[in-house]
Amino acid sequence: MQRIRNNELTIQAPIHSGFGPRTTAKEALGGEDLRGKVAIVTGGYSGLGLETSRVLAESGATVIIPARTPEKARASVSRIPGAELETLDLLDPASIDAFAQRFLNSNRPLHILINSAGIMASPLARDKRGFESQFATNHLGHFHLTARLWPALTKAKGARVVSVSSRGHRISGIDFNDPNFEIREYDKWKAYGQSKTANALFAIELDKKGISYGIRAFSVHPGTIVTDLSRNLSDEEMRAMGAMDENGKRVLNEYNEEFKTIEEGAATIVWCAVNKQLDGMGGVYCENVDIARAVPADSPQPPGVRPWATNPEFAEQLWELSEDLIGVKFPV
């Protein structure tokens, strides 16, 4: 699949960035001075989001970190220079609207929006509207948030939106007939895979609609990192992933192209958010601090992005479905 690069096409293929699996988030900055830039990082108080926020802030950006329970996030956020702690619940439309309006009232441009907060393989739960929680948190909440922040993104006259997807998109495409598991039997991994495919498709359509406003979008697979995201997984599941030591501690036993430290896991996020190597590009899925290869649906190898996560027709269909489900439209 290809995306527009100015009047050219951004190909879903590596650009040979010179970075790789062991690149850290600080290295992925490419020496950018972010003074004067404003960033919002959902989930920016823990795990990959915290490292992303720290690196952006230490490079000069003003970083706003929304949390569902700010009191629990205060200690970690206090270690980030100049960070602003805010309140946001991605499962609550009123909370999303209120947070976005507070930011818009500040009259600041938004140069960087990183949609990083998420849940994984959780038991079946629904928000007040009846939406399945992984689809609602990982995709619909961020879709709603991005729509409400659109005026600030356009004001930046050069903004990037990064959606944190996952190699888990391999598990499932979008079931457009039953995205919220109202008919089919719930499967926590299919629900997760669907939400991560949604993240990738959102970036495609957002980039297409945003390019004339100076807004570019990317989706990212950060790698496998042991963070609080795995809280819903059993010890057996963690052990099968190679993420538990002989003492029962949840930790990676080796580091490779897929298994990373937190500093390495945040690298592709930061690269997509600020690095000049991606100027004029967008709408692509990235991993290991490069644009990922497009691979066939039946590829036996884990790396690369599957066709259902790069299909522009699916991306447009998901956009329309999302607007209909939440009753919020982008002003484009």
Side-chain angles (χ1 to χ4, degrees), residues 18-19 52 64 76 79 81 128 177 199 204 221 269 296 298 300:
F19 297 119
T52 298
I64 295 94
S76 58
R79 299 194 296 270
K128 293 179 181 179
N177 295 316
N199 293 148
I204 292 172
H221 168 56
I269 300 172
D298 59 355

Side-chain angles (χ1 to χ4, degrees), residues 52-320:
T52 298
S53 297
R54 184 189 68 79
V55 169
L56 295 179
E58 290 182 353
S59 301
T62 297
V63 181
I64 295 94
I65 300 174
R68 185 173 61 180
T69 310
E71 295 74 21
K72 294 182 179 179
R74 198 172 304 281
S76 58
V77 171
S78 67
R79 299 194 296 270
I80 300 174
E84 301 176 18
L85 182 60
E86 258 283 3
T87 303
L88 171 66
D89 183 349
L90 288 166
L91 286 175
D92 182 352
S95 176
I96 296 171
D97 288 342
F99 165 76
Q101 192 58 55
R102 288 193 299 273
F103 183 81
L104 294 177
N105 289 344
S106 74
N107 292 314
R108 291 181 288 186
L110 180 58
H111 304 89
I112 302 164
L113 173 59
I114 298 178
N115 294 323
S116 178
I119 55 177
M120 179 178 74
S122 55
L124 178 61
R126 301 188 184 277
D127 67 11
K128 293 179 181 179
R129 299 166 295 186
F131 301 149
E132 187 275 317
S133 62
Q134 294 191 75
F135 191 61
T137 301
N138 299 348
H139 170 60
L140 291 175
H142 284 122
F143 185 93
H144 185 164
L145 177 65
T146 307
R148 293 304 194 211
L149 291 172
W150 190 258
L153 289 165
T154 60
K155 185 181 289 188
K157 300 187 185 307
R160 292 191 190 178
V161 179
V162 180
S163 295
V164 178
S165 181
S166 167
R167 195 166 280 179
H169 80 273
R170 296 176 300 160
I171 301 169
S172 175
I174 307 293
D175 187 328
F176 289 102
N177 295 316
D178 187 27
N180 289 299
F181 290 85
E182 295 169 310
I183 302 170
R184 54 186 169 144
E185 183 178 357
Y186 181 71
D187 181 300
K188 67 180 183 180
W189 285 113
K190 286 184 179 178
Y192 178 68
Q194 175 181 250
S195 73
K196 296 292 103 178
T197 292
N199 293 148
L201 293 175
F202 177 42
I204 292 172
E205 190 67 13
L206 179 64
D207 190 74
K208 186 177 80 173
K209 287 178 164 38
I211 187 170
S212 62
Y213 298 87
I215 299 167
R216 306 309 302 260
F218 302 87
S219 63
V220 168
H221 168 56
T224 295
I225 304 96
V226 176
T227 68
D228 190 48
L229 187 66
S230 64
R231 59 186 175 275
N232 292 308
L233 302 187
S234 67
D235 287 350
E236 289 73 20
E237 288 172 307
M238 294 296 288
R239 190 172 290 109
M241 292 169 55
M244 179 170 286
D245 66 16
E246 58 187 16
N247 297 316
K249 183 179 179 181
R250 295 189 171 202
V251 62
L252 294 173
N253 297 315
E254 62 173 327
Y255 294 94
N256 50 39
E257 182 183 284
E258 173 62 14
F259 290 178
K260 303 177 187 296
T261 65
I262 288 177
E263 292 80 6
E264 294 164 352
T268 310
I269 300 172
V270 170
W271 185 66
C272 287
V274 304
N275 197 289
K276 279 186 166 50
Q277 287 182 320
L278 290 170
D279 282 356
M281 304 178 75
V284 286
Y285 171 100
C286 302
E287 63 184 359
N288 285 320
V289 203
D290 207 336
I291 298 176
R293 292 182 298 111
V295 298
D298 59 355
S299 173
Q301 300 302 319
V305 58
R306 271 51 179 181
W308 53 81
T310 57
N311 185 309
E313 294 180 2
F314 291 169
E316 185 175 354
Q317 188 176 356
L318 176 65
W319 187 281
E320 293 173 357

